[in-house]
Structures are given as C-alpha cells and as structure tokens.
Amino acid sequence: MATNVTLHGLIRRAYDVQDDEILGGPDWLNSEGYDIDAKVEKSVVDDLQKLGPDQRVLESKRMLQALLADRFKLSLHSENKEVPVYALVIAGNGLKIQRAIPGDTYANGFKRSDGVPIGAGDWSQPGKFVGQGFLSRHCAGPVRALPASGRFG
C-alpha cells in the first residue's frame, strides 16, 4: 500500500535505481501522486512468507514491476553512459584516516551534536560496516553534481 507516491518514486523502488538514473518520461512522472492498494491472493502471501528476506524483497520488486507495466504501460531500457565522476584516491603522502580497531570504544569518537556518544547501531562498531562502496556513496551524498567512485588499491 502506498499513498500519494509518484511514478518516479515507484520506479525507484521497483528497479532499485537512484533519481539521476531515471531519464526521460512525461512531466507528470515526478509530480502526480498515486495511491496504490494492491491485493494479492492468499497463496501468493503464503509463498512469499516461505522465502528469505532478500528473496521476498526481490519478489516484491518483481510484482511492482509487473503492476507498473500493466497499469502504466511502463516500458524501459537500460544503457551504459559515460559520466564524469569524482575519484576517491589515496594521496601521495598516504592515508589521513586510521583503520578501526575491533573492540575499541572510541571514547572521543562519534557523538551527537549535544556531545553524547552515539549508542548501539552501525556506528557503535566503527569500521565494521564501512567498505569502499559505502564510503564512495556517502562521500558523494553532499556533492550530488557528480557521482563518486573509489580507487583503493
């Protein structure tokens, strides 16, 4: 169920793409809101519940893709396109960041704006969830003009 969602937003969810990866389409693609109240048969729900979480998400996306094709007559294609990027490279004089040490509590590390240390979650174990893809995506966030790509050796 979705309320007042644009076709652009539905495409993002169904195909797992970012805003700048959706090109073309009518003007109303990002302005008209739609309410979706899709119903599935009980047998489909039962089959979905038998799947693991990742497979369930993938199947839900396929169902949304089918709905978009049926109701909006959506057709799309993908293409490779060369675009400029920022390259994250190691400077000639070496890294300025340090490797996270498992078990270190980082007493002077991540804190909220009021100075209280950040609690449980991804940040409670610095470095555990941070790969180069994560770093590239999050560095690119504030600089949406160009995507970032990592070159880490």
Side-chain angles (χ1 to χ4, degrees), residues 22-45:
I22 302 172
L23 304 174
D27 292 340
W28 54 264
L29 186 76
N30 210 17
S31 61
E32 295 278 328
Y34 295 91
D35 296 341
I36 296 179
D37 187 12
K39 294 176 175 46
V40 296
E41 309 244 345
K42 182 176 179 346
S43 62
V44 174
V45 173

Side-chain angles (χ1 to χ4, degrees), residues 132-144:
Q132 61 178 317
F134 175 91
L135 183 61
S136 295
R137 281 191 310 279
H138 284 76
C139 286
V143 189
R144 290 307 307 166

